[in-house]
Amino acid sequence: MDTAAHIAALRREGQLLAANAEAAGPDATVSTCPGWQVRDLVRHTGAVHRWATGFVAERHTSPRPLTEGPDLDGDELFAWFREGHGLLVEALEQAPDDLECWAFLPAPSPLAFWARRQAHETAIHRIDSESALPSGERTTIGSAFAADGIDELLRGFHARERSRVRSEEPKVLRIHATDEDAVWTVRISEKPPVTTPGAEDEADCEISGPAARLYSAMWNRLPLPQITGDIDVARLWRENSAV
């Protein structure tokens, strides 16, 4: 996916999140985020949006702390969220291709990083917002976008030293998005996992399913879909992969 597609996804997902939050109400429980109500979800995601906007719009080249959202509630909180989401989309659309600013995962450019990261940050929290709706409705996620988000999780987040997916005995986990024919081989050891595209080794365990279902599961929003092989490897992932 290119930067324009990620920005379009960010716009769509943020609008859906806001609409869901308004429909559910600030007191509704967010079942995918234990201990959170809708107001917490909106305040957190809105704070992340404004934090990201600072790097893109103000060209910060070093890390800056993520601050808490304001002490707003109800309609005022939802309006604040919509404003910040719009500012982030605008900043990304107006940023030059050669934007220089801080980023924390490998990417073709800082602009590509922030567009991708915020698209998936917002999509995952949009899924969270749906868990607060009494209807339990779910918005379809495109399979290509879902596969892109799985790739970011595996080859971005879990390539970092802070990944807690470790094993004294080396293991190989295969992740297979069946409708995108996308496969990742995850080598788990005492060091951070090493993920490569493709089915390169015999796997101790494979987790497979449609990309959208796998996306929600790998980000710990739904149970893991089909598991083949050593279930302890899947359990190791499930219990230690939260980011």
Side-chain angles (χ1 to χ4, degrees):
M1 294 182 65
D2 62 18
T3 297
H6 283 128
I7 295 173
L10 167 62
R11 178 187 291 106
R12 178 183 65 252
E13 297 293 336
Q15 291 171 347
L16 287 169
L17 192 162
N20 291 339
E22 290 167 345
D27 296 327
T29 298
V30 181
S31 63
T32 52
C33 298
W36 273 17
Q37 295 175 304
V38 164
R39 63 171 57 85
D40 303 304
L41 175 67
V42 172
R43 191 173 290 125
H44 166 76
T45 312
V48 171
H49 285 170
R50 290 170 185 260
W51 174 73
T53 300
F55 293 106
V56 176
E58 300 173 27
R59 313 295 199 263
H60 298 307
T61 57
S62 59
R64 296 169 67 87
L66 173 63
T67 58
E68 295 290 332
D71 188 20
L72 300 173
D73 207 351
D75 291 344
E76 289 184 336
L77 177 62
F78 299 147
W80 171 83
F81 173 85
R82 287 185 181 275
E83 178 187 52
H85 170 249
L87 290 172
L88 174 58
V89 171
E90 181 180 14
L92 289 166
E93 288 180 331
Q94 295 182 357
D97 291 340
D98 61 354
L99 170 71
E100 293 187 9
C101 68
W102 179 76
F104 61 86
L105 295 178
S109 70
L111 177 59
F113 163 77
W114 283 109
R116 185 193 204 194
R117 175 80 292 275
Q118 290 307 299
H120 290 296
E121 174 82 12
T122 308
I124 290 298
H125 287 314
R126 187 268 296 164
I127 292 170
D128 292 330
S129 73
E130 290 179 341
S131 77
L133 295 172
S135 63
E137 63 187 67
R138 295 289 182 268
T139 302
T140 301
I141 300 172
S143 60
F145 179 74
D148 181 73
I150 296 167
D151 186 80
E152 184 200 40
L153 177 68
L154 296 176
R155 298 205 295 149
F157 279 98
H158 284 289
R160 299 188 300 172
E161 190 64 36
R162 68 179 63 183
S163 175
R164 296 182 297 108
V165 180
R166 310 288 179 106
S167 174
E168 292 183 3
E169 180 183 354
K171 299 291 183 180
V172 177
L173 173 64
R174 181 177 299 140
I175 308 299
H176 183 197
T178 53
D179 53 345
E180 277 292 306
D181 196 26
V183 181
W184 298 266
T185 298
V186 185
R187 296 174 181 83
I188 303 171
S189 68
E190 294 178 330
K191 298 180 180 180
V194 175
T195 300
T196 52
E200 297 189 2
D201 290 340
E202 289 296 321
D204 297 296
C205 176
E206 178 175 293
I207 302 172
S208 61
R213 177 72 174 74
L214 202 55
Y215 178 71
S216 294
M218 297 302 290
W219 283 96
N220 294 308
R221 266 53 186 192
L222 288 174
L224 294 172
Q226 182 174 340
I227 300 171
T228 305
D230 186 350
I231 195 170
D232 286 339
V233 178
R235 186 177 295 115
L236 171 70
W237 176 271
R238 188 68 173 180
E239 293 177 353
N240 296 282
S241 64
V243 295

